[in-house]
Amino acid sequence: MPKQPSREDRETPTQPPSAGVELAVRSGLAEGARAACVGAALRRGEIPPDADFDRFLPSVHQGVSPYFWTPLAVVARISSWFRDLRVSSVVDIGSGTGKFCVAGALATRCRFAGLEHRPALVGAARALADTFGVGDRVTFSHGAFGERPVPEADAYYLYNPFGENLFGRPDQLDAVVELSDARYRRDVSAVEAFLEDTRPGSYLVTYNGFGGDPPPSYEGLFADWSTPSLLRLFRKRDPTA
């Protein structure tokens, strides 16, 4: 999360959304059965319509999903990269409502940990993980980046997590947390320093960037321009190799 809202924003899936899931979700099934249907589609490698997944978010956070939460088409592409690279653990910095972590856990066998500075979103994310039955592989912690240790993982995910600091007040989620130019610069610098200290072989995935640049020790492996914002994967070189 997030990108600047725009009326021209669109979602371009890497494959067509699953019509069968869309029909099932709209056919009057109970909520538990609907969640099971969406989850099964993600496990099969399909891409359900985002609206069918977002219905399990708190209503106040459903409408902002195109701007703040990772699209399922993007989750699917990242999941394919993780499978190819045999990634087993992922940290999402700025995990929001947990959409990326929960959908990723459904699409892969990875363990996910999310770090989020809004306590209400942490609660929503934990509820989402329980709804989809992935609470054994997905955890969420409350705290701003730099306030608590970031778990060591194979891969780190950043969906422009500090961009909201630069939005005008009408485009921000709320006024619960500090949002300012100064915090933006502070958080971006902290992530750049953190990436310097990750172990060789670590992966970094950015969607719509993070406001800074990966250290020179990171080499770009994959990029996807077909997604609504640029999606990139980097690997940290081993200096002894």
Side-chain angles (χ1 to χ4, degrees):
M1 100 183 208
K3 67 176 178 178
Q4 182 70 47
S6 167
R7 293 296 181 186
E8 297 179 353
D9 283 339
R10 77 279 184 272
E11 294 180 1
T12 307
T14 54
Q15 67 184 70
S18 171
V21 173
E22 186 173 9
L23 177 62
V25 169
R26 284 158 173 68
S27 65
L29 294 176
E31 286 296 285
R34 288 174 171 172
C37 189
V38 173
L42 287 166
R43 290 188 177 96
R44 292 193 300 267
E46 299 175 7
I47 306 174
D50 279 278
D52 290 348
F53 188 97
D54 294 344
R55 67 179 292 123
F56 299 100
L57 303 176
S59 58
V60 69
H61 297 133
Q62 294 176 17
V64 300
S65 184
Y67 313 120
F68 283 87
W69 322 134
T70 305
L72 294 180
V74 174
V75 176
R77 178 51 54 90
I78 296 172
S79 296
S80 70
W81 291 345
F82 284 170
R83 287 191 294 270
D84 290 344
L85 297 170
R86 298 186 177 181
V87 168
S88 63
S89 57
V90 185
V91 171
D92 180 4
I93 298 172
S95 50
T97 56
K99 182 176 179 179
F100 171 76
C101 292
V102 171
L106 290 164
T108 71
R109 296 183 179 180
C110 298
R111 300 185 67 86
F112 288 80
L115 178 64
E116 170 55 44
H117 65 161
R118 286 182 168 94
L121 295 186
V122 174
R126 290 170 177 166
L128 188 70
D130 289 343
T131 294
F132 283 96
V134 293
D136 59 329
R137 289 189 293 117
V138 180
T139 60
F140 297 98
S141 300
H142 172 237
F145 185 80
E147 289 183 351
R148 59 189 306 156
V150 177
E152 188 172 271
D154 295 336
Y156 300 90
Y157 177 64
L158 293 157
Y159 175 10
N160 194 17
F162 315 122
E164 189 185 6
N165 285 282
L166 307 181
F167 290 0
R169 179 64 191 91
D171 294 326
Q172 295 171 349
L173 278 179
D174 54 41
V176 171
V177 296
E178 176 197 353
L179 294 171
S180 66
D181 290 355
R183 182 177 183 187
Y184 176 81
R185 293 190 297 269
R186 185 172 72 244
D187 286 348
V188 169
S189 295
V191 166
E192 290 177 329
F194 168 77
L195 294 173
E196 289 278 11
D197 292 336
T198 57
R199 68 173 184 259
S202 298
Y203 295 101
L204 168 67
V205 180
T206 63
Y207 179 53
N208 200 32
F210 70 93
D213 296 309
S217 55
Y218 280 80
E219 59 181 340
L221 293 186
F222 304 127
D224 191 337
W225 294 85
S226 72
T227 51
S229 296
L230 177 60
L231 178 64
R232 303 185 70 185
L233 183 145
F234 304 83
R235 179 174 57 198
K236 190 171 188 179
R237 298 183 186 91
D238 185 345
T240 65

